[in-house]
Amino acid sequence: MSVIQPHVLLVEDEPAQREVLAYNLEAEGYAVSRAENGEEAMVQVDEITPDLVILDWMMPLMSGIEVCRQLKTREDTRNIPVIMLSARSEEVDAVRGLETGADDYVTKPYSLRELMARVRTQLRRTRPGASGETLAYLDIMLDPETHRVTRNGQELKLGPTEYRLLATFLEKPGRVLSRDQLLDLVWGRDIYVDTRTVDVHIARLRKVLTQAGGEDPIRTVRGAGYALG
């Protein structure tokens, strides 16, 4: 019943560096998708929204700077953290990368330990539950370490799917998530589930959250999806 592992998109055109990085990311417990150029990266982003992008600056077909610019100008991807990798060590290059929207800038050669720490830092900001931090909204609390969920101090018993749904909502309070987005985040792309199944599990989650008489914190947005708060 753990919080779903963060998904990292690794965009690097050097095969050896790509595989070393992917190996270390997977050893840290992340799901990793690989892309060898900017165009392939944008296709993958459209297929499944990653939690973080590690992006090489110098690539064929589309540069890392252009990929970053496109990600940061799109409503659905602008909040994805981007860590830019570059052999360019001049201050002006770092400034350009950050001004394009990159959340962090790492020059090559880099320390793998330092890069993993930077990945954790960015994910802690956008996926606090994945780093073991307690998630909370009003009187609802979820502890990823112990898998305990409480509301107003009373422990709640959730099934695995309802637990993952709640964790997803708690990591993005106020944000409207469509049924398709919830399918990707909670069930994953590799499993076929009808979108109506989302409604069934939302109803189950609502029942548990309100069993002690509290107000229903999940908001239905007609034609769009669901949101917490």
Side-chain angles (χ1 to χ4, degrees):
M1 286 202 313
S2 60
V3 177
I4 298 168
Q5 62 185 152
H7 190 122
V8 177
L9 173 59
L10 172 58
V11 193
E12 168 65 71
D13 65 322
E14 290 287 339
Q17 289 193 43
R18 188 170 63 244
E19 290 312 307
V20 168
L21 259 179
Y23 175 83
N24 281 271
L25 288 164
E26 289 169 346
E28 291 277 331
Y30 305 128
V32 180
S33 293
R34 300 162 174 81
E36 61 183 32
N37 59 63
E39 289 186 357
E40 184 182 345
M42 295 308 299
V43 170
Q44 292 212 32
V45 166
D46 287 334
E47 290 179 350
I48 183 166
T49 305
D51 295 298
L52 180 139
V53 177
I54 298 178
L55 184 60
D56 187 35
W57 180 314
M58 298 295 289
M59 291 186 298
L61 303 182
M62 183 188 295
S63 71
I65 283 286
E66 178 59 20
V67 173
C68 184
R69 188 193 68 76
Q70 290 193 24
L71 290 174
K72 294 302 182 178
T73 54
R74 280 174 42 171
E75 182 69 30
D76 60 331
T77 58
R78 66 175 50 168
N79 294 321
I80 299 173
V82 173
I83 298 178
M84 185 82 75
L85 306 179
S86 177
R88 298 168 178 260
S89 58
E90 297 296 324
E91 181 181 355
V92 64
D93 294 315
V95 170
R96 182 183 173 200
L98 294 169
E99 286 183 342
T100 304
D103 298 87
D104 203 349
Y105 185 94
V106 180
T107 56
K108 298 178 179 181
Y110 48 79
S111 157
L112 278 169
R113 180 178 294 181
E114 179 187 356
L115 180 57
M116 293 303 128
R118 290 173 183 249
V119 168
R120 287 192 294 272
T121 296
Q122 292 299 328
L123 287 172
R124 193 176 297 121
R125 180 170 61 84
T126 56
R127 289 284 312 273
S131 61
E133 295 184 23
T134 297
L135 301 173
Y137 176 78
L138 299 178
D139 58 351
I140 302 169
M141 298 189 70
L142 182 151
D143 185 342
E145 296 290 336
T146 63
H147 306 304
R148 289 185 72 238
V149 178
T150 61
R151 183 168 194 189
N152 196 25
Q154 179 180 338
E155 188 164 358
L156 305 179
K157 301 297 183 183
L158 296 175
T161 302
E162 287 71 43
Y163 177 91
R164 292 196 299 271
L165 265 174
L166 180 60
T168 300
F169 281 126
L170 285 169
E171 287 185 326
K172 308 176 193 301
R175 178 177 167 184
V176 178
L177 297 169
S178 70
R179 290 171 177 81
D180 285 335
Q181 286 176 314
L182 288 169
L183 284 174
D184 288 345
L185 292 167
V186 177
W187 281 267
R189 283 255 171 182
D190 297 333
I191 300 174
Y192 176 75
V193 180
D194 191 281
T195 53
R196 288 173 294 184
T197 302
V198 176
D199 301 329
V200 171
H201 287 280
I202 289 286
R204 290 178 183 172
L205 177 57
R206 280 175 159 156
K207 183 177 180 180
V208 176
L209 290 174
T210 58
Q211 65 188 13
E215 290 187 5
D216 181 6
I218 299 175
R219 178 166 50 97
T220 300
V221 182
R222 189 175 298 276
Y226 299 98
L228 182 67

